[in-house]
C-alpha cells in the first residue's frame, strides 16, 4: 500500500510513523489523560485499514485527519490537540 508525501512522492505506507507521532503527543500528556500503547496501536491499525480500502493512495494530510478522528473517537481531546499542534 502506498501513500503520497507532501512533496508528491509516492512511498510505502508505514504504520510505525503513525504510532510514533501519536506517542510523541501522548508522552506530553498527564498520566490520567494518556492513551495506552494498545489504544495507540488500535488507532494506527484502524487508520491503516481505512487506507487499504481507499480507491487511491491517501495523502499524508488525509492520513493525519483520520488519525485525529480516531484520537477523538477515544475521547482523548487533549491528546488530539497535541497531535494537531505536532502536525504543524
Amino acid at each position: 500500500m502506498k501513500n503520497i508525501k507532501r512533496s508528491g512522492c509516492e512511498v510505502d505506507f508505514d504504520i510505525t510513523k503513525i504510532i510514533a507521532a501519536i506517542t510523541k503527543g501522548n508522552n506530553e500528556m498527564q498520566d490520567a489523560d494518556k492513551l495506552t500503547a494498545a489504544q495507540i496501536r488500535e488507532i494506527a491499525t484502524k487508520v491503516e485499514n481505512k487506507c487499504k480500502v481507499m480507491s487511491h493512495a491517501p495523502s499524508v494530510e488525509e492520513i493525519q485527519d483520520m488519525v485525529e478522528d480516531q484520537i477523538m473517537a477515544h475521547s482523548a481531546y487533549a491528546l488530539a490537540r497535541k497531535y494537531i499542534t505536532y502536525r504543524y
Side-chain angles (χ1 to χ4, degrees):
M1 176 174 53
K2 301 285 187 182
N3 66 284
I4 309 298
K5 294 176 64 168
R6 285 183 180 85
S7 66
C9 294
E10 192 172 80
V11 296
D12 289 330
F13 181 91
D14 186 356
I15 194 171
T16 62
K17 290 184 178 184
I18 295 172
I19 293 169
I22 298 169
T23 300
K24 285 180 183 179
N26 200 50
N27 288 341
E28 295 183 27
M29 304 304 301
Q30 299 282 332
D31 285 342
D33 295 326
K34 285 186 177 183
L35 294 178
T36 65
Q39 288 172 312
I40 293 170
R41 179 71 184 181
E42 178 186 346
I43 289 167
T45 300
K46 285 183 178 183
V47 170
E48 179 181 42
N49 290 338
K50 286 183 178 198
C51 290
K52 284 180 182 177
V53 299
M54 293 179 81
S55 61
H56 64 280
S59 68
V60 170
E61 289 82 6
E62 288 176 298
I63 293 169
Q64 289 172 331
D65 289 346
M66 287 185 254
V67 171
E68 287 173 26
D69 291 343
Q70 288 300 314
I71 292 171
M72 300 270 273
H74 280 79
S75 299
Y77 305 113
L79 176 56
R81 187 175 306 121
K82 288 280 185 191
Y83 177 79
I84 291 166
T85 302
Y86 169 75
R87 280 178 63 172
Y88 295 104

